[in-house]
Amino acid sequence: SLSGSKVVSHASPGSDALLSSGLAADTVKAIFLTASQVFDAAEVDRVIGRSPCVAMRRKLPRPKVRAEMLFLDVGRVEALVTEVDERYRALVLMAAYTGARAGELEALRTDRINWLRRRYHVVESLSEVRGRLALGPTKTYETRWVPMPVFVADALREHVEAYPSPDRLVFTSAEGTPLRHRNFMRRHFKPAVVRAGLPEQLRFHDLRHTAAALLIAEGATMEQVKQILGHSTIRVTSDTYGHLFDDHSDPLMEALAV
């Protein structure tokens, strides 16, 4: 358990319950489609009379229109880091240079950091549901090791030494309790965005997009981006960041012309 906060686990079969647990509409739909295939097969094999998914298809949530992605260059990342409260500078650095999701970073514990190899283990995610903090699986239900640049690992080490947590949480509030993302955004992130002169619509999730863009600019392959960001499939990586790989086509054509 996490001291100073109410933490619950959550799991329920209905689509409304899945949405309220923090899952995106696309994720809920994917879960439903997988379950419906199982029930359809059971119906064909006459194990059940009728698939319960037939009636539920009309109630599937519609995917939300995705917000426009924003990307920061290194200079703007540095400006944001400078303006945010010192307690959260390592958090911004990790998001912008390793691409982890907010909930994954907020659930990170010190014993899941491999200092020797400069990697950290993403095992779970912290979210807020109806005012209560909930520890649950990652968005893809999988774990992964995420590499860090040297300067990010150094900043993280300094942070851990400066802000120890009895629960071994890496990032906490000023009171030492688990970090509530909404409070962090309202009290620290958004004011820092304004002070840094960055677009006011900048979201924390745009730091994840920034990490992907920086990786691709340095020559990372689509598979590498998928592994580091923790996408469920290469299709997700391609659909989200495929346009950024277009910049690699010119050098390729020049090489073929030699």
Side-chain angles (χ1 to χ4, degrees):
S1 65
L2 302 177
S3 63
S5 297
K6 298 179 180 179
V7 180
V8 298
S9 60
H10 48 276
S12 182
S15 62
D16 289 342
L18 291 175
L19 286 171
S20 66
S21 72
L23 295 179
D26 286 334
T27 303
V28 173
K29 184 176 181 180
I31 293 172
F32 172 82
L33 292 177
T34 300
S36 67
Q37 291 175 352
V38 175
F39 282 111
D40 288 346
E43 182 179 341
V44 171
D45 294 339
R46 298 184 179 179
V47 176
I48 59 176
R50 181 176 174 81
S51 170
C53 295
V54 174
M56 293 175 61
R57 284 192 176 94
R58 296 189 298 272
K59 301 180 180 179
L60 281 178
R62 294 183 179 180
K64 296 180 180 179
V65 177
R66 292 183 177 179
E68 180 182 0
M69 290 185 289
L70 297 179
F71 304 93
L72 302 182
D73 56 25
V74 173
R76 290 189 171 187
V77 172
E78 182 60 33
L80 181 59
V81 170
T82 300
E83 293 297 339
V84 78
D85 187 283
E86 186 175 352
R87 189 182 191 99
Y88 304 110
R89 288 177 181 175
L91 176 62
V92 172
L93 280 173
M94 290 184 72
Y97 288 101
T98 72
R101 301 175 180 91
E104 295 171 343
L105 291 172
E106 290 157 3
L108 182 63
R109 298 180 186 272
T110 54
D111 53 359
R112 292 173 182 154
I113 303 172
N114 185 326
W115 297 108
L116 185 62
R117 298 196 63 206
R118 296 194 304 275
R119 281 164 168 72
Y120 62 94
H121 199 193
V122 172
V123 175
E124 56 192 350
S125 182
L126 184 65
S127 60
E128 187 173 350
V129 182
R130 297 175 183 174
R132 306 179 72 182
L133 290 177
L135 275 174
T138 64
K139 185 176 181 179
T140 60
Y141 296 91
E142 295 182 353
T143 66
R144 70 187 187 281
W145 283 95
V146 182
M148 296 180 284
V150 174
F151 69 93
V152 173
D154 290 343
L156 182 60
R157 186 186 296 275
E158 293 178 3
H159 171 87
V160 170
E161 293 174 353
Y163 306 103
S165 163
D167 294 308
R168 305 187 310 281
L169 286 170
V170 174
F171 300 108
T172 57
S173 69
E175 294 76 26
T177 57
L179 192 61
R180 291 179 178 269
H181 189 70
R182 290 183 181 179
N183 289 346
F184 162 70
M185 291 295 292
R186 177 171 54 85
R187 299 173 182 174
H188 303 285
F189 187 81
K190 285 298 185 180
V193 167
V194 174
R195 291 194 298 268
L198 301 176
E200 292 188 12
Q201 67 269 31
L202 183 75
R203 304 163 301 162
F204 190 87
H205 198 73
D206 287 316
L207 299 181
R208 177 172 166 85
H209 298 321
T210 293
L214 293 173
L215 287 169
I216 294 169
E218 291 299 323
T221 65
M222 194 170 293
E223 178 63 27
Q224 288 173 320
V225 174
K226 169 188 175 295
Q227 293 296 331
I228 293 174
L229 268 62
H231 287 155
S232 57
T233 66
I234 199 73
R235 173 75 178 273
V236 174
T237 310
S238 177
D239 288 349
T240 308
Y241 302 115
H243 63 288
L244 299 180
F245 286 91
D246 293 342
D247 294 339
H248 292 179
S249 60
D250 290 341
L252 176 62
M253 294 301 102
E254 292 175 3
L256 292 174
V258 174

